mmCIF file of all heavy atoms in Angstrom:
data_model
loop_
_atom_site.group_PDB
_atom_site.id
_atom_site.type_symbol
_atom_site.label_atom_id
_atom_site.label_comp_id
_atom_site.label_asym_id
_atom_site.label_seq_id
_atom_site.Cartn_x
_atom_site.Cartn_y
_atom_site.Cartn_z
ATOM 1 N N ARG Z 24 95.851 -218.514 -11.512
ATOM 2 C CA ARG Z 24 95.165 -219.761 -11.161
ATOM 3 C C ARG Z 24 93.953 -219.940 -12.069
ATOM 4 O O ARG Z 24 93.528 -218.999 -12.755
ATOM 5 C CB ARG Z 24 94.731 -219.762 -9.693
ATOM 6 C CG ARG Z 24 93.686 -218.720 -9.341
ATOM 7 C CD ARG Z 24 93.203 -218.923 -7.915
ATOM 8 N NE ARG Z 24 92.202 -217.937 -7.537
ATOM 9 C CZ ARG Z 24 91.446 -218.048 -6.453
ATOM 10 N NH1 ARG Z 24 91.570 -219.104 -5.662
ATOM 11 N NH2 ARG Z 24 90.559 -217.124 -6.144
ATOM 12 N N GLU Z 26 90.120 -220.351 -12.510
ATOM 13 C CA GLU Z 26 88.857 -220.093 -11.833
ATOM 14 C C GLU Z 26 87.661 -220.676 -12.582
ATOM 15 O O GLU Z 26 86.506 -220.342 -12.274
ATOM 16 C CB GLU Z 26 88.670 -218.582 -11.603
ATOM 17 C CG GLU Z 26 89.729 -217.993 -10.680
ATOM 18 C CD GLU Z 26 89.415 -216.586 -10.233
ATOM 19 O OE1 GLU Z 26 88.636 -215.881 -10.911
ATOM 20 O OE2 GLU Z 26 89.942 -216.184 -9.170
ATOM 21 N N VAL Z 44 83.827 -215.200 -11.325
ATOM 22 C CA VAL Z 44 83.956 -213.781 -11.568
ATOM 23 C C VAL Z 44 85.288 -213.289 -10.999
ATOM 24 O O VAL Z 44 85.518 -213.375 -9.783
ATOM 25 C CB VAL Z 44 82.788 -213.001 -10.939
ATOM 26 C CG1 VAL Z 44 82.983 -211.493 -11.132
ATOM 27 C CG2 VAL Z 44 81.476 -213.451 -11.567
ATOM 28 N N GLY Z 45 86.152 -212.789 -11.850
ATOM 29 C CA GLY Z 45 87.441 -212.297 -11.403
ATOM 30 C C GLY Z 45 87.344 -210.940 -10.747
ATOM 31 O O GLY Z 45 86.453 -210.143 -11.063
ATOM 32 N N GLY Z 46 88.226 -210.688 -9.802
ATOM 33 C CA GLY Z 46 88.290 -209.362 -9.174
ATOM 34 C C GLY Z 46 87.280 -209.154 -8.064
ATOM 35 O O GLY Z 46 87.242 -208.103 -7.462
ATOM 36 N N GLN Z 47 86.439 -210.139 -7.792
ATOM 37 C CA GLN Z 47 85.472 -210.002 -6.724
ATOM 38 C C GLN Z 47 85.288 -211.341 -6.035
ATOM 39 O O GLN Z 47 84.939 -212.329 -6.663
ATOM 40 C CB GLN Z 47 84.114 -209.515 -7.235
ATOM 41 C CG GLN Z 47 83.079 -209.398 -6.139
ATOM 42 C CD GLN Z 47 81.802 -208.720 -6.619
ATOM 43 O OE1 GLN Z 47 81.782 -208.101 -7.657
ATOM 44 N NE2 GLN Z 47 80.737 -208.839 -5.853
ATOM 45 N N GLY Z 48 85.503 -211.391 -4.746
ATOM 46 C CA GLY Z 48 85.343 -212.633 -4.024
ATOM 47 C C GLY Z 48 86.316 -213.706 -4.502
ATOM 48 O O GLY Z 48 87.405 -213.426 -4.993
ATOM 49 N N ASP Z 49 85.890 -214.941 -4.369
ATOM 50 C CA ASP Z 49 86.711 -216.087 -4.751
ATOM 51 C C ASP Z 49 86.061 -216.768 -5.939
ATOM 52 O O ASP Z 49 85.169 -217.623 -5.798
ATOM 53 C CB ASP Z 49 86.809 -217.049 -3.552
ATOM 54 C CG ASP Z 49 87.828 -218.160 -3.781
ATOM 55 O OD1 ASP Z 49 88.078 -218.481 -4.955
ATOM 56 O OD2 ASP Z 49 88.362 -218.694 -2.799
ATOM 57 N N GLY Z 50 86.491 -216.412 -7.126
ATOM 58 C CA GLY Z 50 85.908 -216.946 -8.346
ATOM 59 C C GLY Z 50 86.097 -218.439 -8.490
ATOM 60 O O GLY Z 50 85.207 -219.137 -8.986
ATOM 61 N N TRP Z 52 86.328 -220.689 -6.076
ATOM 62 C CA TRP Z 52 85.369 -221.339 -5.198
ATOM 63 C C TRP Z 52 83.961 -221.281 -5.783
ATOM 64 O O TRP Z 52 83.220 -222.271 -5.766
ATOM 65 C CB TRP Z 52 85.373 -220.676 -3.829
ATOM 66 C CG TRP Z 52 84.276 -221.184 -2.936
ATOM 67 C CD1 TRP Z 52 84.282 -222.294 -2.151
ATOM 68 C CD2 TRP Z 52 82.977 -220.596 -2.768
ATOM 69 N NE1 TRP Z 52 83.081 -222.454 -1.513
ATOM 70 C CE2 TRP Z 52 82.255 -221.422 -1.861
ATOM 71 C CE3 TRP Z 52 82.347 -219.449 -3.286
ATOM 72 C CZ2 TRP Z 52 80.939 -221.133 -1.479
ATOM 73 C CZ3 TRP Z 52 81.033 -219.166 -2.904
ATOM 74 C CH2 TRP Z 52 80.356 -219.991 -2.008
ATOM 75 N N ALA Z 53 83.584 -220.117 -6.323
ATOM 76 C CA ALA Z 53 82.215 -219.928 -6.816
ATOM 77 C C ALA Z 53 81.919 -220.860 -7.996
ATOM 78 O O ALA Z 53 80.852 -221.478 -8.054
ATOM 79 C CB ALA Z 53 82.013 -218.478 -7.232
ATOM 80 N N MET Z 88 74.380 -220.305 -2.698
ATOM 81 C CA MET Z 88 75.668 -219.626 -2.826
ATOM 82 C C MET Z 88 75.624 -218.227 -2.210
ATOM 83 O O MET Z 88 76.627 -217.757 -1.663
ATOM 84 C CB MET Z 88 76.084 -219.551 -4.288
ATOM 85 C CG MET Z 88 76.442 -220.891 -4.894
ATOM 86 S SD MET Z 88 76.899 -220.759 -6.639
ATOM 87 C CE MET Z 88 78.334 -219.674 -6.526
ATOM 88 N N SER Z 89 74.494 -217.567 -2.329
ATOM 89 C CA SER Z 89 74.371 -216.213 -1.817
ATOM 90 C C SER Z 89 74.476 -216.162 -0.305
ATOM 91 O O SER Z 89 74.882 -215.133 0.261
ATOM 92 C CB SER Z 89 73.032 -215.603 -2.254
ATOM 93 O OG SER Z 89 72.969 -215.498 -3.667
ATOM 94 N N GLU Z 91 76.119 -218.565 1.571
ATOM 95 C CA GLU Z 91 77.371 -219.157 2.039
ATOM 96 C C GLU Z 91 78.483 -218.115 2.047
ATOM 97 O O GLU Z 91 78.580 -217.283 1.155
ATOM 98 C CB GLU Z 91 77.772 -220.334 1.154
ATOM 99 C CG GLU Z 91 76.862 -221.539 1.313
ATOM 100 C CD GLU Z 91 77.292 -222.717 0.466
ATOM 101 O OE1 GLU Z 91 78.158 -222.528 -0.419
ATOM 102 O OE2 GLU Z 91 76.772 -223.805 0.671
ATOM 103 N N THR Z 92 79.330 -218.181 3.001
ATOM 104 C CA THR Z 92 80.455 -217.277 3.064
ATOM 105 C C THR Z 92 81.740 -218.064 3.301
ATOM 106 O O THR Z 92 81.726 -219.176 3.835
ATOM 107 C CB THR Z 92 80.290 -216.260 4.214
ATOM 108 O OG1 THR Z 92 80.137 -216.981 5.444
ATOM 109 C CG2 THR Z 92 79.085 -215.378 3.977
ATOM 110 N N ARG Z 93 82.809 -217.481 2.885
ATOM 111 C CA ARG Z 93 84.110 -218.086 3.093
ATOM 112 C C ARG Z 93 84.791 -217.383 4.276
ATOM 113 O O ARG Z 93 84.779 -216.159 4.378
ATOM 114 C CB ARG Z 93 84.967 -217.915 1.846
ATOM 115 C CG ARG Z 93 84.397 -218.593 0.610
ATOM 116 C CD ARG Z 93 84.991 -219.956 0.423
ATOM 117 N NE ARG Z 93 86.420 -219.833 0.154
ATOM 118 C CZ ARG Z 93 87.182 -220.867 -0.184
ATOM 119 N NH1 ARG Z 93 86.662 -222.061 -0.277
ATOM 120 N NH2 ARG Z 93 88.472 -220.702 -0.405
ATOM 121 N N ALA Z 94 85.398 -218.155 5.132
ATOM 122 C CA ALA Z 94 86.046 -217.552 6.310
ATOM 123 C C ALA Z 94 87.160 -216.585 5.917
ATOM 124 O O ALA Z 94 87.434 -215.619 6.617
ATOM 125 C CB ALA Z 94 86.595 -218.653 7.201
ATOM 126 N N ASP Z 95 87.804 -216.857 4.773
ATOM 127 C CA ASP Z 95 88.928 -216.023 4.364
ATOM 128 C C ASP Z 95 88.541 -214.984 3.313
ATOM 129 O O ASP Z 95 89.383 -214.371 2.694
ATOM 130 C CB ASP Z 95 90.064 -216.906 3.809
ATOM 131 C CG ASP Z 95 89.614 -217.757 2.631
ATOM 132 O OD1 ASP Z 95 88.404 -217.809 2.375
ATOM 133 O OD2 ASP Z 95 90.487 -218.315 1.958
ATOM 134 N N ASN Z 96 87.243 -214.797 3.130
ATOM 135 C CA ASN Z 96 86.828 -213.851 2.081
ATOM 136 C C ASN Z 96 85.516 -213.191 2.492
ATOM 137 O O ASN Z 96 84.514 -213.853 2.721
ATOM 138 C CB ASN Z 96 86.639 -214.599 0.756
ATOM 139 C CG ASN Z 96 86.273 -213.641 -0.359
ATOM 140 O OD1 ASN Z 96 87.035 -212.734 -0.673
ATOM 141 N ND2 ASN Z 96 85.122 -213.820 -0.951
ATOM 142 N N LYS Z 97 85.521 -211.881 2.594
ATOM 143 C CA LYS Z 97 84.349 -211.150 3.071
ATOM 144 C C LYS Z 97 83.455 -210.669 1.938
ATOM 145 O O LYS Z 97 82.321 -210.243 2.189
ATOM 146 C CB LYS Z 97 84.793 -209.959 3.918
ATOM 147 C CG LYS Z 97 85.543 -210.369 5.186
ATOM 148 C CD LYS Z 97 85.963 -209.143 5.987
ATOM 149 C CE LYS Z 97 86.710 -209.562 7.253
ATOM 150 N NZ LYS Z 97 87.124 -208.386 8.060
ATOM 151 N N ARG Z 98 83.926 -210.719 0.724
ATOM 152 C CA ARG Z 98 83.124 -210.260 -0.400
ATOM 153 C C ARG Z 98 82.350 -211.415 -1.015
ATOM 154 O O ARG Z 98 82.811 -212.550 -1.022
ATOM 155 C CB ARG Z 98 84.031 -209.608 -1.461
ATOM 156 C CG ARG Z 98 84.656 -208.313 -1.017
ATOM 157 C CD ARG Z 98 85.439 -207.663 -2.129
ATOM 158 N NE ARG Z 98 86.591 -208.457 -2.528
ATOM 159 C CZ ARG Z 98 87.388 -208.150 -3.544
ATOM 160 N NH1 ARG Z 98 87.147 -207.091 -4.282
ATOM 161 N NH2 ARG Z 98 88.423 -208.909 -3.840
ATOM 162 N N PRO Z 99 81.154 -211.162 -1.580
ATOM 163 C CA PRO Z 99 80.378 -212.230 -2.212
ATOM 164 C C PRO Z 99 81.119 -212.779 -3.424
ATOM 165 O O PRO Z 99 81.836 -212.051 -4.112
ATOM 166 C CB PRO Z 99 79.077 -211.550 -2.602
ATOM 167 C CG PRO Z 99 79.424 -210.089 -2.704
ATOM 168 C CD PRO Z 99 80.469 -209.866 -1.662
ATOM 169 N N SER Z 100 80.960 -214.061 -3.670
ATOM 170 C CA SER Z 100 81.648 -214.704 -4.789
ATOM 171 C C SER Z 100 80.635 -215.151 -5.829
ATOM 172 O O SER Z 100 79.610 -215.764 -5.490
ATOM 173 C CB SER Z 100 82.450 -215.903 -4.289
ATOM 174 O OG SER Z 100 83.416 -215.507 -3.334
ATOM 175 N N GLY Z 101 80.924 -214.867 -7.093
ATOM 176 C CA GLY Z 101 79.975 -215.193 -8.160
ATOM 177 C C GLY Z 101 80.629 -215.915 -9.325
ATOM 178 O O GLY Z 101 81.859 -215.972 -9.426
ATOM 179 N N GLY Z 168 75.165 -216.329 -7.645
ATOM 180 C CA GLY Z 168 75.693 -216.106 -6.316
ATOM 181 C C GLY Z 168 75.802 -214.646 -5.928
ATOM 182 O O GLY Z 168 76.045 -214.351 -4.761
ATOM 183 N N ILE Z 169 75.641 -213.749 -6.898
ATOM 184 C CA ILE Z 169 75.787 -212.313 -6.617
ATOM 185 C C ILE Z 169 74.562 -211.510 -6.989
ATOM 186 O O ILE Z 169 74.066 -210.705 -6.188
ATOM 187 C CB ILE Z 169 76.997 -211.725 -7.375
ATOM 188 C CG1 ILE Z 169 78.309 -212.325 -6.842
ATOM 189 C CG2 ILE Z 169 77.031 -210.210 -7.236
ATOM 190 C CD1 ILE Z 169 79.528 -211.806 -7.562
#
Side-chain angles (χ1 to χ4, degrees):
R24 64 173 180 166
E26 296 192 337
V44 176
Q47 179 171 344
D49 189 335
W52 172 84
M88 292 179 61
S89 297
E91 290 182 347
T92 58
R93 299 265 295 187
D95 58 349
N96 183 60
K97 297 180 180 179
R98 292 184 295 176
S100 300
I169 294 179

